[in-house]
């Protein structure tokens, strides 16, 4: 049954993308609109845009094509608003998003007013950002399809990045990394949570750290279509462009089984390796580590940790221990990135 449903969905996407014939609509022409959650957003919050239609008849499947300002916004996710059915993972290429959804089985299509889907974005820079609906491709229950061009647009005004005085996380007041966290937030490569916490001692995942790193380097991610990890579907959509850029730059790699393991907590050794690679530092493959627990270092990490320690980018955790296999925290991650930026600008 699962294979039958998947085959049907792929067939529908093929019909949507490659073949068009007239659909029978209601007396009035179809109208599409974009609804934005708020027209004024602080950097770090989320912006949601919902695609709606009116005067529709027998809509069984659809494909929505959006364009957005990728200099000020990062796409995070898309969600179909209809119950049931099957959605195809969004396809993101530079500033374009393609998203498709279909019903399953012998059921009629929807009529009248339809709320199709909602797109979620994260602001990354201040200014006015525009999101435009380019076209909608519809398929009815008889698999006849039509492409309807559209010019609906919405704009959102993103406020300036918060300054240190505006940042008041309630869980870092006595934390050792308080000033580093303030500096990182001011530079815009990390943010806190909606409950006014930063959670400095929580683990940081591989995807989260890669995103912090690419933002800190002021690299605008563009296209994630080249990612070919075996577990691509487990990499959050919003983080794929960052992962793609990091892979292209040689900052991060996958594992031997061609997985990326996006949600895995990153180790302190992995942090050091990525930072050294991001700086393009030369490493001496024969240079041993001087940490007391050097024997715990993975072989692949030894020259990078040695180079990072020599450049004073990293520190131990006391008693000259580096604890390479311990999980890195959010506080440690931002502190290390700031050290990297200082070294880069030196």
């Amino acid at each position: 049954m699962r294979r039958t449903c998947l085959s049907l969905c792929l067939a529908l996407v093929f019909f949507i993308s490659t073949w068009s014939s007239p659909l029978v609509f209601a007396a009035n022409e179809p109208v599409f609109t974009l609804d934005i959650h708020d027209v004024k957003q602080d950097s770090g919050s989320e912006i949601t845009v919902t695609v709606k239609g009116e005067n529709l008849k027998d809509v069984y499947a659809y494909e929505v094509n959006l364009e957005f300002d990728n200099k000020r916004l990062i796409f995070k996710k898309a969600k179909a608003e209809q119950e049931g059915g099957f959605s195809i993972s969004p396809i993101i290429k530079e500033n374009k998003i393609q998203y498709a959804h279909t019903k399953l089985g012998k059921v009629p299509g929807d009529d009248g007013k339809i709320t199709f889907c909602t797109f979620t974005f994260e602001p990354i820079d201040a200014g006015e950002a525009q999101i435009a609906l380019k076209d909608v491709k519809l398929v009815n229950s008889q698999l006849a399809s039509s492409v309807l061009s559209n010019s609906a647009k919405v704009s959102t005004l993103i406020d300036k990045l918060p300054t240190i005085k505006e940042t008041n996380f309630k869980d870092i007041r006595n934390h050792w990394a308080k000033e580093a966290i303030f500096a990182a937030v001011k530079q815009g490569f990390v943010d806190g949570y909606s409950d006014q916490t930063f959670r400095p001692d929580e683990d940081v995942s591989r995807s989260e750290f890669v995103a912090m790193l690419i933002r800190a380097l002021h690299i605008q991610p563009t296209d994630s279509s080249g990612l070919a990890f075996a577990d691509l579907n487990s990499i959050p959509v919003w983080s794929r462009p960052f992962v793609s850029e990091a892979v292209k730059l040689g900052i991060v790699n996958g594992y031997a089984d061609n997985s990326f393991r996006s949600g895995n907590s990153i180790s302190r050794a992995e942090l050091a390796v990525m930072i050294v690679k991001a700086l393009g530092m030369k490493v001496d493959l024969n240079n041993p580590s001087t940490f007391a627990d050097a024997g715990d270092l993975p072989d692949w990490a030894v020259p990078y940790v040695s180079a990072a320690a020599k450049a004073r980018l990293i520190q131990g955790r006391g008693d000259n221990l580096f604890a390479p296999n311990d999980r890195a925290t959010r506080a440690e991650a931002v502190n290390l990135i700031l050290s990297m930026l200082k070294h880069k600008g030196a």
Side-chain angles (χ1 to χ4, degrees):
M1 179 64 183
R2 179 179 177 86
R3 179 175 295 178
T4 301
C5 292
L6 181 58
S7 298
L8 175 60
C9 190
L10 292 175
L12 285 173
V13 172
F14 175 77
F15 272 108
I16 293 173
S17 301
T18 62
W19 181 67
S20 297
S21 65
L23 282 174
V24 178
F25 292 107
N28 296 325
E29 290 294 320
V31 176
F32 298 96
T33 58
L34 295 178
D35 285 355
I36 194 164
H37 178 67
D38 196 349
V39 295
K40 189 175 183 181
Q41 294 283 338
D42 294 330
S43 181
S45 60
E46 291 184 345
I47 295 170
T48 58
V49 175
T50 302
V51 181
K52 297 182 178 180
E54 296 184 13
N55 304 326
L56 300 168
K57 185 173 180 60
D58 193 22
V59 176
Y60 187 86
Y62 64 82
E63 176 189 289
V64 171
N65 288 280
L66 279 185
E67 291 186 358
F68 67 102
D69 184 350
N70 62 348
K71 293 183 179 179
R72 293 190 171 91
L73 300 172
I74 293 175
F75 172 69
K76 295 189 70 175
K77 61 183 178 181
K79 176 187 176 184
E81 296 299 331
Q82 298 85 1
E83 293 184 2
F86 187 87
S87 297
I88 300 297
S89 296
I91 299 173
I92 304 96
K93 188 171 183 180
E94 297 182 350
N95 68 326
K96 297 178 176 62
I97 307 170
Q98 185 180 82
Y99 181 65
H101 180 81
T102 180
K103 292 176 176 292
L104 294 174
K106 294 182 178 180
V107 297
D110 294 327
D111 298 331
K113 295 182 179 181
I114 299 175
T115 300
F116 288 99
C117 52
T118 297
F119 296 88
T120 302
F121 300 88
E122 177 188 344
I124 56 173
D125 198 6
E128 184 176 0
Q130 190 175 86
I131 301 164
L133 179 61
K134 304 308 294 182
D135 61 55
V136 179
K137 302 179 182 181
L138 301 176
V139 175
N140 66 17
S141 58
Q142 303 304 310
L143 299 188
S145 68
S146 181
V147 180
L148 303 176
S149 298
N150 196 85
S151 58
K153 296 179 181 178
V154 291
S155 295
T156 182
L157 181 62
I158 303 167
D159 280 353
K160 64 182 180 178
L161 296 173
T163 64
I164 290 178
K165 290 183 180 179
E166 293 168 332
T167 305
N168 188 29
F169 299 123
K170 59 188 179 184
D171 59 345
I172 66 169
R173 290 168 187 165
N174 298 312
H175 198 276
W176 65 267
K178 176 180 178 180
E179 296 304 321
I181 291 168
F182 281 159
V185 171
K186 185 178 181 181
Q187 293 189 38
F189 64 80
V190 71
D191 207 341
Y193 296 88
S194 58
D195 61 355
Q196 290 186 307
T197 63
F198 184 79
R199 306 175 194 176
D201 298 319
E202 282 194 1
D203 295 351
V204 60
S205 73
R206 283 168 56 82
S207 274
E208 288 170 335
F209 183 71
V210 166
M212 290 183 199
L213 190 54
I214 295 300
R215 286 174 180 150
L217 293 170
H218 300 291
I219 298 171
Q220 175 60 45
T222 54
D223 185 7
S224 62
S225 60
L227 283 180
F229 291 113
D231 58 347
L232 177 62
N233 289 338
S234 69
I235 303 177
V237 171
W238 68 265
S239 71
R240 290 179 191 176
F242 295 104
V243 174
S244 180
E245 290 296 328
V247 170
K248 290 175 188 175
L249 293 170
I251 294 173
V252 67
N253 298 307
Y255 292 87
D257 60 357
N258 193 36
S259 65
F260 183 72
R261 307 179 194 177
S262 167
N264 280 17
S265 298
I266 199 167
S267 70
R268 284 169 52 82
E270 287 176 314
L271 283 190
V273 171
M274 289 188 196
I275 290 294
V276 170
K277 288 183 175 180
L279 285 169
M281 295 172 61
K282 293 182 179 180
V283 299
D284 182 353
L285 298 179
N286 298 314
N287 190 19
S289 172
T290 58
F291 286 110
D293 55 352
D296 294 334
L297 276 166
D299 291 340
W300 50 265
V302 172
Y304 295 95
V305 171
S306 297
K310 185 176 181 180
R312 297 185 179 179
L313 293 171
I314 59 174
Q315 297 178 346
R317 283 184 166 177
D319 297 326
N320 195 33
L321 297 174
F322 180 63
N325 298 311
D326 283 7
R327 295 173 176 177
T329 66
R330 282 168 54 83
E332 289 173 330
V334 299
N335 194 57
L336 184 52
I337 290 175
L338 289 171
S339 296
M340 176 198 74
L341 294 176
K342 184 177 180 180
H343 187 277
K344 192 171 186 288

